[in-house]
Amino acid sequence: MSTSKTIQSALISVFSKEGLEPIVKLLHSQNVTLYSTGGTEDFIKNLGIPVVAVEDITAFPEILGGRVKTLHPKIFGGILNRQDNESDVQQMKEFNIPQIDLVIVDLYPFEKTVASGASEQDIIEKIDIGGISLIRAAAKNFKDTVIVPSMNEYALFLDMITKQNGATTLEDRKLLATKAFHVSSHYDGAIFSYFNTDETIYKASIANGQVLRYGENPHQKGFFFGDFDAMFKKLHGKELSYNNLLDVDAAVNLINEFKTDGPTFAILKHNNACGLASRKTISEAYLAALACDPTSAFGGVLISNTTIDVATAIEINQLFCEVVIAPAYDAEAVTILQEKKNRIILVQNDVELPQKQVRTCLNGLLIQDRNNITDNKKDLTTVTITSPTEQEIEDLIFASKICKNTKSNTIVFAKNGTLISSGTGQTSRVDALQQAVEKAKHFGFDLTGASMASDAFFPFPDCVALAKEAGITAVIQPGGSIKDQLSIDYCNENNLAMVFTGTRHFKH
């Protein structure tokens, strides 16, 4: 039997009629018999095209307020019959079941209804029953039946039947069946997620995957699954790579800590901040952030919490950087930044980030809640005789925000709203602290009067001793070690201020 089949009959039942007209007109011109229901039937009639009502086939009207329209053996028999099966052929004749070669369905907009904040009753009514059943039936029988499961496939299908004069190949039908099962599984997943309250069950379906140039390294394939366009408007530059996206993610998470603060600019490299500063103007903030580590800033990702103006753009344009991100830009600033052909310029939209974080682990997944705690003044408990000054408190909170978004083990030094240096991703907290001290010295920073943040507690007083030696006068850490008192005692003996937050901020 030939794998190419000419469509002679079609069942069309859709929620949205957008984009349907050219398909209906072409099918009519190809002498295809059309079957339909309700609003879709009226739509086809209004085009002046003949259509057979489903109830004329089933001899049964729509019932229950339209909840039951197509759920009938004559409809599903017409879709599911195997044309090379003699028993099926005989039963089709016996029960006078019409052949249905094509099914076009557009499901009720369940996800949009949920997102709109509709009532539960309205949401329940948008759980499609007949449509999803038609999709699965036609997709199962792809050897004989064509399924167009959503508006997203209209253009593909129209191109097929235009070029092939109403015929489809087995490969065509299998491709559309694959898309159909994606539609049905995604739809069911959305419904499950709406109802599910069991956090030990995880289902995810992301429809808009993007092929990247490669993964972390050129020999690895890379893909991004998410709605990038919802988060950003891309104004200029090359396509983002796997590593670009990781850095952009780190940059967004970091700058969100300073969302309501004054003008703040951050520069990141390999997911960690190498420069960050808050100032009266964003231009001053950028220059202060760059001064922290101009070497690492080369090829980095830059992000601002406010509009990038012309003065800032002129300064940025002197640096080779991969990505610039801001909530807005002055028009002339964009023109300046576009002078570098490959520089990626992104406008960050105000989009809520997922509240679950997911990563692969062994032969499965690790899932956790997003770390939504940002240390603030009311969380601080002074545990030393010496209390931090108001300026030190500001710097401690500033350093803590950076520390939270830096790879563990980490130590962060800050002073006057500026990241001085950090030790990142070290196997011991002492190593992280020593790295931060050496880096500050390398770039000529005086640590006298600076504040220090640690992502976890100190089990011994060695870290605060090294900090004191370097010039640190105030320390913020979560506390919680059984030997906390050793560090507290050292601070009291050496006039250091130390505060506990009660919250650890590991980032692995």
Side-chain angles (χ1 to χ4, degrees):
M1 180 179 288
S2 171
T3 63
S4 178
K5 292 182 177 290
T6 299
I7 297 169
Q8 298 181 45
S9 58
L11 171 63
I12 307 175
S13 181
V14 298
F15 179 83
S16 171
K17 316 304 183 289
E18 183 182 347
L20 185 62
E21 182 175 341
I23 294 177
V24 171
K25 287 183 174 179
L26 181 57
L27 291 172
H28 175 59
S29 72
Q30 293 172 342
N31 298 314
V32 176
T33 300
L34 303 180
Y35 303 103
S36 193
T37 62
T40 309
E41 180 188 345
D42 292 338
F43 175 83
I44 297 172
K45 285 179 179 178
N46 290 336
L47 295 175
I49 293 173
V51 58
V52 179
V54 164
E55 61 192 59
D56 291 341
I57 301 172
T58 63
F60 210 98
E62 292 184 14
I63 62 171
L64 307 181
R67 278 190 165 196
V68 180
K69 301 175 184 177
T70 56
L71 296 169
H72 193 280
K74 281 198 171 183
I75 299 302
F76 281 84
I79 295 169
L80 282 164
N81 73 93
R82 295 158 291 187
Q83 295 176 21
D84 60 352
N85 183 292
E86 185 59 33
S87 176
D88 285 7
V89 172
Q90 289 301 319
Q91 287 190 328
M92 291 285 284
K93 293 177 181 178
E94 179 183 353
F95 297 108
N96 192 28
I97 299 174
Q99 179 66 45
I100 298 177
D101 300 318
L102 164 67
V103 176
I104 301 177
V105 182
D106 176 26
L107 299 173
Y108 294 156
F110 179 83
E111 288 179 280
K112 287 183 179 179
T113 305
V114 172
S116 73
S119 67
E120 182 168 275
Q121 181 179 348
D122 288 340
I123 290 169
I124 298 303
E125 287 306 312
K126 289 301 184 292
I127 298 176
D128 207 311
I129 303 301
I132 204 78
S133 302
L134 291 170
I135 286 175
R136 290 178 62 84
K140 175 178 179 176
N141 202 35
F142 69 87
K143 287 186 178 180
D144 293 313
T145 310
V146 184
I147 175 64
V148 181
S150 76
M151 293 170 57
N152 295 333
E153 277 64 63
Y154 283 3
L156 171 64
F157 174 69
L158 192 59
D159 183 62
M160 283 179 184
I161 61 173
T162 299
K163 290 180 177 178
Q164 297 164 185
N165 194 28
T168 61
T169 65
L170 180 62
E171 289 74 20
D172 293 335
R173 297 191 295 277
K174 192 169 186 178
L175 171 62
L176 285 166
T178 302
K179 293 180 179 293
F181 285 123
H182 165 65
V183 168
S184 66
S185 63
H186 181 81
Y187 195 77
D188 285 341
I191 295 169
F192 171 78
S193 295
Y194 172 74
F195 283 96
N196 182 43
T197 57
D198 186 348
E199 293 188 354
T200 65
I201 301 175
Y202 176 75
K203 293 181 187 293
S205 176
I206 305 175
N208 45 351
Q210 176 184 345
V211 179
L212 304 175
R213 293 197 303 273
Y214 52 80
E216 207 163 7
N217 299 291
H219 62 277
Q220 296 170 271
K221 290 182 179 179
F223 306 87
F224 172 69
F225 292 91
D227 192 352
F228 185 84
D229 292 338
M231 283 207 64
F232 301 101
K233 179 180 179 182
K234 185 181 175 187
L235 302 181
H236 182 72
K238 63 184 179 180
E239 292 300 313
L240 281 89
S241 69
Y242 183 98
N243 291 332
N244 286 155
L245 289 168
L246 286 175
D247 283 331
V248 168
D249 176 69
V252 167
N253 287 323
L254 176 59
I255 209 68
N256 279 349
E257 305 286 346
F258 301 89
K259 193 172 182 178
T260 59
D261 293 4
T264 302
F265 206 104
I267 304 172
L268 291 90
K269 195 71 171 289
H270 300 299
N271 307 164
N272 291 315
C274 59
L276 196 150
S278 295
R279 292 292 188 272
K280 291 182 179 180
T281 69
I282 199 62
S283 177
E284 292 172 332
Y286 167 70
L287 290 173
L290 178 64
C292 177
D293 185 351
T295 302
S296 295
F298 183 86
V301 169
L302 281 57
I303 190 165
S304 167
N305 73 342
T306 191
T307 301
I308 290 182
D309 55 20
V310 172
T312 310
I314 291 171
E315 296 294 343
I316 292 173
N317 209 34
Q318 300 177 50
L319 174 73
F320 167 71
C321 58
E322 291 277 350
V323 185
V324 182
I325 310 167
Y329 301 80
D330 288 347
E332 190 178 343
V334 174
T335 302
I336 293 167
L337 294 173
Q338 286 176 331
E339 290 177 7
K340 301 293 171 62
K341 181 177 70 173
N342 290 327
R343 179 184 285 147
I344 299 164
I345 305 173
L346 301 176
V347 177
Q348 182 182 348
N349 300 322
D350 189 11
V351 174
E352 184 177 352
L353 295 172
Q355 292 306 301
K356 296 291 184 183
Q357 294 179 315
V358 184
R359 65 195 297 183
T360 58
C361 180
L362 301 176
N363 61 348
L365 302 173
L366 282 174
I367 301 175
Q368 67 172 354
D369 295 334
R370 174 175 291 278
N371 183 357
N372 285 324
I373 293 178
T374 297
D375 297 331
N376 58 65
K377 189 174 180 178
K378 67 179 179 59
D379 298 324
L380 307 184
T381 300
T382 301
V383 294
T384 51
I385 296 171
T386 301
S387 296
T389 65
E390 285 301 313
Q391 181 59 56
E392 285 173 336
I393 289 174
E394 287 185 20
D395 286 337
L396 289 171
I397 296 298
F398 181 91
S400 174
K401 291 178 179 180
I402 301 171
C403 196
K404 170 187 168 182
N405 291 276
T406 306
K407 293 288 186 181
S408 299
N409 285 316
T410 185
I411 292 290
V412 171
F413 295 147
K415 187 177 182 181
N416 298 325
T418 307
L419 168 62
I420 301 300
S421 64
S422 60
T424 64
Q426 298 303 303
T427 52
S428 82
R429 204 155 303 282
V430 171
D431 287 345
L433 198 154
Q434 290 175 331
Q435 182 190 58
V437 170
E438 289 303 313
K439 195 169 185 179
K441 288 180 180 178
H442 177 75
F443 288 106
F445 288 105
D446 181 7
L447 288 174
T448 302
S451 295
M452 179 177 84
S454 172
D455 59 336
F457 61 61
F458 302 129
F460 303 103
D462 46 5
C463 283
V464 287
L466 289 169
K468 169 66 177 178
E469 184 180 334
I472 300 299
T473 55
V475 178
I476 184 171
Q477 58 133 321
S481 170
I482 59 173
K483 296 183 178 180
D484 274 343
Q485 195 59 46
L486 294 177
S487 294
I488 294 171
D489 289 344
Y490 180 90
C491 290
N492 286 334
E493 292 163 5
N494 292 274
N495 298 317
L496 278 172
M498 186 160 65
V499 298
F500 286 2
T501 66
T503 303
R504 190 182 73 184
H505 289 297
F506 272 163
K507 184 187 177 192
H508 288 95

